[in-house]
Amino acid sequence: MNIAIMGAGSLGTIIGALMTEGGEKVDLIDINEEHVNRLNQSGAKLTGFINKTIPVNAITPMNINNTYDLVFLLTKQVYNYESLNQLIPHLHENSIVCTLQNGVPEEYVASIIGAKRTVGGVVGFGATWKGPGESELTTEWETVKKYAFDIGEVDGSITPRLSKIKAVLEHVGYCEISSNILGIKWSKVLMNATFSGMSAALGCTFEEVLDNQSAMTSLAHIADETIKVARAHGIELAKMQGKDMEFLELKDGQTVAEKMDFYEEVWGPHRKLKASMLQDLEKQRKSEIDYINGFVSKKGKEVGVETPYNNLVVQLVKEAENTKKVPDFTTNLVRFESFAPVLK
């Protein structure tokens, strides 16, 4: 089977390398020529909670000469139009494109390559791109072995091809087949809107968010908004890493303090992680904020659910994009602390 990783960044480098080590025929595709050259010359250097260097085959999109049976889409959503159109000539009728991106891109992906070639997926671990040829695993290895991936058909059916995808992904870590992949995608949106959103908006690691009471209070409201928007769209958030994300809703009479043990238990293993959106801001690149917190805001407007905390995250990240300055933790935390949204 010919396999491609479309977008060999922080996660794609690790995933593609471990699949290759497992004996799969994999092309790691990325637009960064220096990164591609280093991967080919020296192998993929994996650091952090894993420490090994694995020989891989890497190419730029302009040098694709294969037809792929299975593609894992790991580009930023902002590049989906370009990357998918680069892929189309290298897909056959029964090719599968499995989305492993943040947000909920499946509808858009299907509109370009066709619904029958689209499978939804979620990654349950984090990584940081350290430079050409090197990626750091920032989630504990035991967590990767237990909760690496979820995949599923968008219509909820359980098909034979899911087992084939699962077998490939399990060269990396455990993969769960789901009949509610959209519920899982929304749970991942919650995970990203909370800690990735706050990490980007405050210019810090997950650890700095977890250890700051004011940041966690705002974060708890981000989660609450996300759950209420999903429910208004008829979507039940699925369990992630064995945890019921709907527990994080702030129901009448409940306090933020009641939710803190849950946050520490789920996100504690990811303390060292820095959001990929923050990594983008550091590199003065456009982030995926419109597809994460902005997605919650957009979907909230569609059903009349207010999302002021998600809106503020979007505002702060876009300010950083426009000024090309990494957010300052203290300055932006004050903006959250003084933020008094008017809720209807």
Side-chain angles (χ1 to χ4, degrees), residues 235-292:
I235 295 170
E236 179 182 355
L237 270 66
K239 289 184 177 181
M240 290 289 285
Q241 301 182 8
K243 294 295 181 179
D244 182 3
M245 293 297 159
E246 296 213 351
F247 169 80
L248 295 175
E249 183 180 10
L250 295 172
K251 298 179 180 178
D252 290 343
Q254 290 187 332
T255 65
V256 171
E258 295 174 49
K259 313 297 181 180
M260 288 302 105
D261 287 346
F262 185 102
Y263 283 115
E264 180 61 45
E265 185 175 355
V266 174
W267 279 272
H270 309 277
R271 277 181 164 268
K272 300 302 180 184
L273 186 60
K274 178 194 293 183
S276 61
M277 289 192 293
L278 178 54
Q279 296 176 51
D280 288 333
L281 296 180
E282 291 172 340
K283 298 168 189 170
Q284 299 186 359
R285 295 176 182 169
K286 186 173 174 59
S287 76
E288 289 188 289
I289 194 66
D290 286 334
Y291 303 97
I292 300 176

Side-chain angles (χ1 to χ4, degrees), residues 118-149:
T118 304
V119 169
V122 173
V123 182
F125 60 94
T128 299
W129 191 77
K130 302 299 289 184
E134 181 177 353
S135 188
E136 176 187 7
L137 178 65
T138 51
T139 298
E140 296 172 357
W141 184 243
E142 287 301 314
T143 301
V144 177
K145 289 198 294 185
K146 292 179 182 178
Y147 306 112
F149 305 100

Side-chain angles (χ1 to χ4, degrees), residues 143-200:
T143 301
V144 177
K145 289 198 294 185
K146 292 179 182 178
Y147 306 112
F149 305 100
D150 292 274
I151 59 170
E153 302 286 357
V154 175
D155 65 3
S157 60
I158 303 299
T159 59
R161 67 181 182 173
L162 294 177
S163 295
K164 296 179 181 178
I165 302 169
K166 172 183 169 76
V168 173
L169 287 171
E170 288 195 333
H171 291 300
V172 181
Y174 181 70
C175 176
E176 179 80 19
I177 292 175
S178 174
S179 60
N180 182 25
I181 195 64
L182 289 182
I184 294 175
K185 297 290 283 190
W186 268 90
S187 289
K188 185 65 185 291
V189 167
L190 182 149
M191 296 183 81
N192 282 323
T194 52
F195 280 88
S196 293
M198 288 298 285
S199 171

Side-chain angles (χ1 to χ4, degrees), residues 21-168:
E21 184 183 49
E24 302 291 348
K25 183 181 178 183
V26 185
D27 286 342
L28 280 69
I29 307 171
D30 200 81
I31 60 173
N32 186 329
E33 290 188 20
E34 186 179 4
H35 181 47
V36 167
N37 291 337
R38 185 71 60 84
L39 288 171
N40 287 326
Q41 292 165 4
S42 306
K45 183 179 180 181
L46 311 185
T47 58
F49 285 103
I50 188 173
N51 186 14
K52 59 175 65 178
T53 299
I54 302 169
V56 296
N57 185 62
I59 55 175
T60 62
M62 299 301 295
N63 291 316
I64 299 175
N65 57 14
N66 257 330
T67 298
Y68 296 110
D69 305 298
L70 176 59
V71 178
F72 294 101
L73 190 61
L74 280 148
T75 54
K76 305 285 187 184
Q77 279 207 59
V78 293
Y79 304 121
N80 269 1
Y81 177 82
E82 181 180 3
S83 59
L84 289 169
N85 278 283
Q86 288 169 334
L87 270 177
I88 286 175
H90 305 283
L91 301 176
H92 55 73
E93 183 180 355
N94 296 314
S95 294
I96 302 166
V97 175
C98 180
T99 64
L100 293 178
Q101 300 171 300
N102 292 328
V104 188
E106 285 71 24
E107 182 178 355
Y108 181 77
V109 171
S111 73
I112 294 181
I113 65 164
K116 71 175 185 177
R117 292 197 286 203
T118 304
V119 169
V122 173
V123 182
F125 60 94
T128 299
W129 191 77
K130 302 299 289 184
E134 181 177 353
S135 188
E136 176 187 7
L137 178 65
T138 51
T139 298
E140 296 172 357
W141 184 243
E142 287 301 314
T143 301
V144 177
K145 289 198 294 185
K146 292 179 182 178
Y147 306 112
F149 305 100
D150 292 274
I151 59 170
E153 302 286 357
V154 175
D155 65 3
S157 60
I158 303 299
T159 59
R161 67 181 182 173
L162 294 177
S163 295
K164 296 179 181 178
I165 302 169
K166 172 183 169 76
V168 173

